[in-house]
């Protein structure tokens, strides 16, 4: 199963995440199928590649709870319904 989830990177206590599409059985920092965005929780900065995310969601990819909240804030699900 393909999951949309966060991949951690950055220094200690200065963490950032990439939003990636990965096989659910792969390890957290393994090689992703595709990088779909960026999330920095310290500054609440988010950059998303919306067309690629919509494509993955239409193919049946399941977001984790955290990624789902990020996508809801960016109104990605409204674009999916339209």
């Amino acid at each position: 199963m393909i999951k949309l989830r966060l991949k951690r990177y950055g220094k200690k206590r200065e963490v950032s995440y990439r939003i990636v599409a990965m096989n659910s059985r792969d390890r957290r920092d393994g090689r992703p199928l595709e990088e779909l965005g960026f999330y920095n929780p310290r500054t609440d900065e988010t950059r998303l590649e919306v067309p690629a995310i919509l494509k993955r969601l239409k193919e049946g990819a399941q977001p984790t709870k955290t990624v789902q909240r990020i996508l809801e804030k960016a109104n990605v699900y409204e674009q999916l319904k339209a």
Side-chain angles (χ1 to χ4, degrees), residues 42-74:
R42 296 180 327 121
T43 61
D44 206 32
E45 177 187 358
T46 305
R47 281 183 268 138
L48 301 173
E49 295 179 26
V50 177
I53 292 171
L54 291 174
K55 178 186 148 206
R56 288 288 180 180
L57 289 172
K58 287 177 184 175
E59 291 174 353
Q62 297 296 313
T64 59
K65 289 181 182 181
T66 307
V67 173
Q68 187 173 0
R69 277 189 241 116
I70 292 169
L71 296 178
E72 286 171 358
K73 281 184 183 178

